[in-house]
Amino acid sequence: MKKYFQISKGKIIFSLMALVLFVFPLIRLILLSLTKEDGSFSLDQYYYFLSDSRALESVINTLQISISASLISALCGIITAFLVGYTNIKYKNLIEALVLMPFVIPAYVITLAWTGLTGPGSVLSQYLAAHMIPGIDLFTIHGIIGMLGICHMSVVHVTVVHMLRKVPQEVGWAARASGCSQWKTLLKVDLPMVMPAIAGGTVLAFLADVDNFAIPAFLGISSNIPVLSTYIYEKIIGFGPNSFTYGAVLSVVLSLVALSGALLSTLLVHERSYQESAKENFNIRIWFSPPVRRVIEIGTVSLLTIFSIVPLVYMAITALLRGFTFSLDAECLTLDNYIFVFTNDGVREAVINSLFMAGTASVICLILGTLIAYMSVRKQSKVASFLNQCASVMYSVPGIVLALALIFYWSQPIPGLNTGLYGTFTIIILGYITRYMIIQIRNSSAAFLAVAEAAEQAALASGSNSITLWVKIIMPQIAIPALAGTFFIFLSALTELTMSSIMASASTKTIGLQIFNLQQAGDYSLAAALSAVIVLFMGIIYGLQKLIRLLLARRKTYESDN
């Protein structure tokens, strides 16, 4: 009876966690979109949506931008995946690092860097003007598409390169033995086998484009190019009549677009699931002659450097300028912008807030996510698996929709109970936990699947208690992949903008919101200086992560050898 009670209590806790963190907020959002101010059921706001020309323009822009950008991401990601996965080019680690940079660095920092590089008075603009070439204007729908395409090409690259390596090399040998040329084998045999991965990666890029708030906000708000995420933001911060109710309607529409893409992605994953268990083959399959190889290497590294590194370096340098015209003369340089970053009370408060909230959310996700993964993998808990699925769905929901759902729910979780959480640290931390929990669950689940259960069973058989089991057996074995997920959550939450743009108050501003406000106010140099410092800080954090993983791996190797 005692054991049954403990199991039931665990199921209750996991069920409540799933409902409170993931299910109830979305239900509250949907119900709010269907009610009037007096609480009665109504579809009036949906009828108004169908007659709102700006809302329809936002939907069209969202679809047009997301589809176009995902196709650009697919083209670039497929090319880099093919070069890294199949060919004999060198510098593959460097190429992959350059491809992943726009995914790691916040999109608003990349966008800010590019707007500086292409803006009036920049070196590029001066060069184009001198040669009578039209300048590059990123504050257009094409500029938004281009930035999204660059930032999310890594999503397609990662998806496709792993699947390319899993294509059985024997199939290619058979095709070559049958008389097919190298390139015909690639097009007729390999490409069809990885097509589900290409389609799945493209859909994932589409979802990332739909979810992205930073790039459309930085480039579209000032140029009056609305998408659903920025239109929701405009409605909520406007505090007009029925703004929250109408924001809920827009959020439901945006969620339907995103969840439709997520469903399509799931179907595509199932199509290629037969190949997921195959081992990756790193053998070279396409050989280029030395001259061709060198041209491809130089061209690929140069283009990726121009896309990923040059704008960031230029941004860091322009933060030293006194004016808007680029010049490296001593009288034109100043450290005032960087001094402002380190001495301004508002910036300092935003940094401290982000560190505190990101750190707290990361630790909670590490504990809860690892526990959920353990219950799901080791105990085969159906409730833990349900919680896992709920967390996965919430990660597919656009960030601004999730933020609204949490605001509506946690402000009054029970009718008549006003929590006063809106605008506090607590609700933002809850947002980060809800948003990024699935990352920790998946990393910890992968760790448990890779570790044999025999050591845990032996420890329990020898009389070890639960605390000893976790401290001495489980934690050392899963530390590397589990902490990798925690590091990613910390950096994502640290530089997050979408949710904090509507969840934060004057006393809970974050780093992303501070940079966004500086950019919207026209203080490009200050925003560039703060962004440069953040990129440097993220580089240090990633370096520490690599060092910790290396030390843990060496320790594990040493213990296994002895």
Side-chain angles (χ1 to χ4, degrees):
M1 180 64 72
K2 182 178 180 181
K3 182 179 180 181
Y4 175 78
F5 175 75
Q6 290 175 342
I7 295 174
S8 298
K9 184 169 66 174
K11 289 183 178 180
I12 291 173
I13 292 174
F14 277 115
S15 299
L16 287 176
M17 191 184 302
L19 293 174
V20 172
L21 284 179
F22 305 113
V23 178
F24 287 164
L26 283 183
I27 293 176
R28 176 65 63 85
L29 178 70
I30 295 171
L31 291 177
L32 181 64
S33 71
L34 296 170
T35 56
K36 293 182 178 179
E37 291 185 359
D38 59 3
S40 60
F41 175 83
S42 174
L43 292 173
D44 290 348
Q45 293 298 325
Y46 283 94
Y47 294 137
Y48 177 74
F49 166 79
L50 295 175
S51 62
D52 183 1
S53 59
R54 188 168 178 82
L56 297 179
E57 181 186 4
S58 300
V59 173
I60 294 172
N61 286 343
T62 299
L63 294 174
Q64 178 185 351
I65 290 172
S66 299
I67 293 173
S68 302
S70 63
L71 293 177
I72 293 175
S73 298
L75 177 62
C76 297
I78 291 168
I79 293 173
T80 56
F82 164 72
L83 293 175
V84 171
Y86 267 17
T87 70
N88 64 326
I89 64 168
K90 299 179 181 179
Y91 316 117
K92 291 183 179 181
N93 290 335
L94 174 60
I95 290 173
E96 287 207 305
L98 292 173
V99 169
L100 292 175
M101 273 194 67
F103 178 75
V104 173
I105 297 174
Y108 55 82
V109 173
I110 299 287
T111 305
L112 190 69
W114 270 93
T115 55
L117 182 62
T118 59
S122 68
V123 173
L124 180 60
S125 296
Q126 293 178 33
Y127 175 83
L128 294 177
H131 291 79
M132 306 298 292
I133 301 175
I136 301 174
D137 185 8
L138 292 180
F139 294 88
T140 62
I141 194 166
H142 298 98
I144 297 174
I145 291 171
M147 289 307 307
L148 287 171
I150 293 172
C151 288
H152 296 145
M153 64 178 286
S154 55
V155 177
V156 181
H157 172 91
V158 171
T159 305
V160 175
V161 73
H162 290 303
M163 197 57 61
L164 278 172
R165 289 170 176 158
K166 291 182 179 182
V167 173
Q169 197 167 8
E170 295 81 1
V171 177
W173 292 340
R176 296 293 299 275
S178 301
C180 292
S181 65
Q182 175 177 270
W183 296 104
K184 188 175 182 179
T185 300
L186 178 66
L187 294 175
K188 297 293 185 179
V189 178
D190 295 50
L191 185 60
M193 294 185 71
V194 298
M195 190 57 69
I198 293 174
T202 305
V203 173
L204 290 177
F206 171 81
L207 291 175
D209 297 331
V210 170
D211 177 57
N212 194 286
F213 167 80
I215 294 176
F218 271 68
L219 300 179
I221 290 179
S222 60
S223 52
N224 195 30
I225 302 175
V227 295
L228 277 170
S229 59
T230 58
Y231 191 40
I232 293 170
Y233 171 77
E234 292 173 11
K235 284 294 181 182
I236 296 302
I237 65 170
F239 289 101
N242 297 322
S243 60
F244 283 96
T245 304
Y246 193 52
V249 172
L250 296 172
S251 298
V252 170
V253 174
L254 181 57
S255 297
L256 290 175
V257 174
L259 292 176
S260 298
L263 178 60
L264 179 59
S265 176
T266 302
L267 295 175
L268 293 172
V269 167
H270 285 314
E271 283 187 20
R272 68 174 189 269
S273 60
Y274 73 93
Q275 206 172 325
E276 288 289 348
S277 59
K279 186 177 180 180
E280 291 190 29
N281 186 338
F282 289 84
N283 292 335
I284 295 172
R285 310 191 191 193
I286 304 293
W287 292 86
F288 293 120
S289 64
V292 174
R293 175 177 56 80
R294 283 192 288 271
V295 170
I296 293 175
E297 290 167 354
I298 295 172
T300 304
V301 172
S302 299
L303 283 175
L304 291 174
T305 300
I306 291 172
F307 285 141
S308 302
I309 303 295
V310 172
L312 295 175
V313 174
Y314 186 84
M315 178 184 68
I317 295 175
T318 54
L320 296 169
L321 302 179
R322 294 183 184 274
F324 293 100
T325 302
F326 187 89
S327 175
L328 296 180
D329 295 337
E331 62 272 13
C332 296
L333 301 178
T334 178
L335 289 173
D336 289 349
N337 294 319
Y338 286 101
I339 293 173
F340 173 87
V341 170
F342 289 101
T343 59
N344 181 264
D345 292 337
V347 174
R348 187 186 303 111
E349 182 182 4
V351 172
I352 293 173
N353 290 346
S354 291
L355 287 172
F356 168 71
M357 291 186 289
T360 303
S362 300
V363 172
I364 294 174
C365 284
L366 174 63
I367 297 171
L368 293 180
T370 303
L371 179 60
I372 294 167
Y374 178 79
M375 295 299 296
S376 180
V377 174
R378 289 287 189 257
K379 304 299 182 181
Q380 301 295 316
S381 170
K382 293 182 179 180
V383 178
S385 298
F386 172 69
L387 203 157
N388 187 352
Q389 293 171 358
C390 290
S392 180
V393 170
M394 290 300 276
Y395 191 71
S396 301
V397 173
I400 199 159
V401 175
L402 175 60
L404 275 181
L406 294 174
I407 290 172
F408 297 149
Y409 176 73
W410 286 106
S411 296
Q412 195 177 65
I414 300 174
L417 176 62
N418 294 313
T419 61
L421 291 179
Y422 178 60
T424 64
F425 290 115
T426 302
I427 195 168
I428 299 178
I429 293 172
L430 282 170
Y432 293 162
I433 293 171
T434 306
R435 180 68 166 169
Y436 301 119
M437 177 73 78
I438 187 61
I439 297 174
Q440 189 64 60
I441 294 174
R442 287 179 177 174
N443 276 268
S444 297
S445 296
F448 283 117
L449 289 171
V451 174
E453 193 176 356
E456 300 169 28
Q457 295 173 345
L460 291 174
S462 63
S464 298
N465 57 31
S466 299
I467 296 177
T468 303
L469 174 66
W470 276 89
V471 174
K472 297 291 185 179
I473 306 298
I474 296 178
M475 291 177 62
Q477 295 187 85
I478 68 167
I480 295 177
L483 288 177
T486 306
F487 270 110
F488 185 80
I489 292 172
F490 175 76
L491 289 178
S492 299
L494 181 70
T495 57
E496 193 276 333
L497 171 62
T498 305
M499 290 190 293
S500 58
S501 64
I502 60 174
M503 295 179 77
S505 63
S507 60
T508 58
K509 286 185 177 179
T510 61
I511 292 173
L513 193 56
Q514 185 72 25
I515 294 175
F516 177 64
N517 290 337
L518 289 172
Q519 188 267 352
Q520 292 293 299
D523 295 325
Y524 171 80
S525 296
L526 296 178
L530 179 55
S531 298
V533 172
I534 294 304
V535 171
L536 177 61
F537 177 77
M538 291 181 68
I540 294 173
I541 293 295
Y542 266 102
L544 290 174
Q545 179 197 12
K546 294 293 184 181
L547 179 61
I548 292 173
R549 293 188 67 177
L550 178 62
L551 293 176
L552 289 173
R554 286 184 176 179
R555 178 184 175 184
K556 186 176 181 179
T557 302
Y558 175 80
E559 291 176 349
S560 62
D561 292 340
N562 294 275

